[in-house]
Amino acid sequence: MPLDPHVKRWLDEVYGGPFTPMHEMTIDQARRQMQAASDLLGPGEEVASVENIAADGPHGSIPVRIYRPRSQHDRLPLLVYFHGGGWVLGSIATHDAYCRALANASGWAVASVDYRLAPEHPFPAAFDDSYAAAAWLADSADRLNLDERTIAVGGDSAGGNLAAAVALAARDRGGPRLAGQLLIYPITDFDLQRPSYIANADGYHLTRETMRWFWQLYCGDNFARVADDLRASPLRAESLAELPPAFVLTAEFDPLLDEGAAYAAKLSASGVEARYKRYDGMIHGFVRRTAEWSVAREALRDAAEFLRSLS
């Protein structure tokens, strides 16, 4: 399909003026740009409550923000959410509006995790924080008035990578017990030669060279070893059997399209209940634009429906 008209108009605006590719920016510039772009998405929906807490991590406390939906009731199911940004950018603040919308649409509490970023904290810091936060939240569910029987992990892009890796680790380490995984255009494998990387290398917001930049910053000096590690490339796991049900969302004009589709297919082949949906005409990052693009609202409804199906 062609690009969605709303997406094309937005891309024309982005590329129509002075434009610096992200991988040619300094890290501070790229982080400021992502925050400024996120601020333009609006303040987000009102929710019943927002609570900033700290989870215990392997190298100190991990900031976590818990959103409780307007339809709040006791013992809410919980989605532990990891933001995108190539393990280098993003924060609780950049994904605040989306987490609010997802909480309200699903009726679930959403706990957004502010894991440590590369290159200051290279692999496996982001994974270590993400797994520790999920385990801590599961252990603390009763105290937080959450349903410890219904906890899922989720995230977009690098956050989808972390969610998939946490689900694998939870299986292999005997916990925490997870009810599902919501994987939004996830990074699942270090392979920049896939057809979608070539076809969507430039001009669609996330580029092939920016992904190379992210991987290099995340992996640091251990690039070859890390790229093969299941905590970084979960698609390379020998088996995905006995993982919780999954919903994998991808975008047609996204370099990450093929690896997301491959992960969903491997989940299904491993006997995991896995739903897969490609959103035609869309680009990487589209799901957070719920105030502007109807397909983003559709994806939000689909994600919320998946979460409700788990509880």
Side-chain angles (χ1 to χ4, degrees), residues 213-281:
W213 184 65
F214 284 147
W215 272 106
Q216 290 170 339
L217 291 171
Y218 187 43
C219 295
D221 296 332
N222 301 311
F223 192 85
R225 178 181 62 81
V226 170
D228 225 17
D229 193 302
L230 303 188
R231 294 170 295 176
S233 295
L235 184 58
R236 302 191 187 189
E238 183 176 343
S239 173
L240 301 181
E242 299 181 17
L243 288 175
F247 180 28
V248 183
L249 298 73
T250 61
E252 181 181 11
F253 294 95
D254 184 353
L256 305 182
L257 168 64
D258 288 348
E259 64 197 85
Y263 200 71
K266 188 167 183 176
L267 284 166
S268 294
S270 299
V272 176
E273 180 185 341
R275 178 184 176 192
Y276 172 70
K277 185 171 181 179
R278 186 186 83 173
Y279 293 81
D280 290 337

Side-chain angles (χ1 to χ4, degrees), residues 113-188:
V113 177
D114 221 8
Y115 55 86
R116 289 172 294 163
L117 299 177
E120 297 91 338
H121 305 282
F123 176 88
F127 167 81
D128 287 345
D129 285 359
S130 298
Y131 179 79
W136 184 88
L137 285 160
D139 288 343
S140 305
D142 185 65
R143 180 175 60 81
L144 295 170
N145 197 28
L146 298 167
D147 183 0
E148 69 276 6
R149 300 165 302 175
T150 314
I151 297 175
V153 290
D156 61 295
S157 194
N161 168 274
L162 293 169
V166 166
L168 272 169
R171 179 197 68 180
D172 296 341
R173 300 179 186 183
R177 179 181 173 274
L178 298 176
Q181 45 185 331
L182 174 64
L183 309 179
I184 302 171
Y185 29 75
I187 301 168
T188 66

Side-chain angles (χ1 to χ4, degrees), residues 23-92:
H23 58 273
E24 295 181 8
M25 297 180 182
T26 68
I27 293 166
D28 284 344
Q29 286 173 333
R31 287 173 177 168
R32 288 196 298 270
Q33 176 181 271
M34 183 171 184
Q35 183 61 63
S38 299
D39 291 342
L40 292 175
L41 299 177
E45 302 175 8
E46 290 294 326
V47 292
S49 66
V50 177
E51 181 182 10
N52 293 307
I53 62 173
D56 294 336
H59 300 283
S61 61
I62 305 165
V64 175
R65 181 175 294 174
I66 300 180
Y67 304 85
R68 298 179 190 266
R70 288 191 297 254
S71 57
Q72 182 176 357
H73 54 81
D74 285 346
R75 302 295 175 192
L76 287 166
L78 174 68
L79 174 68
V80 183
Y81 194 86
F82 310 111
H83 65 77
W87 310 286
V88 174
L89 317 176
S91 65
I92 285 175

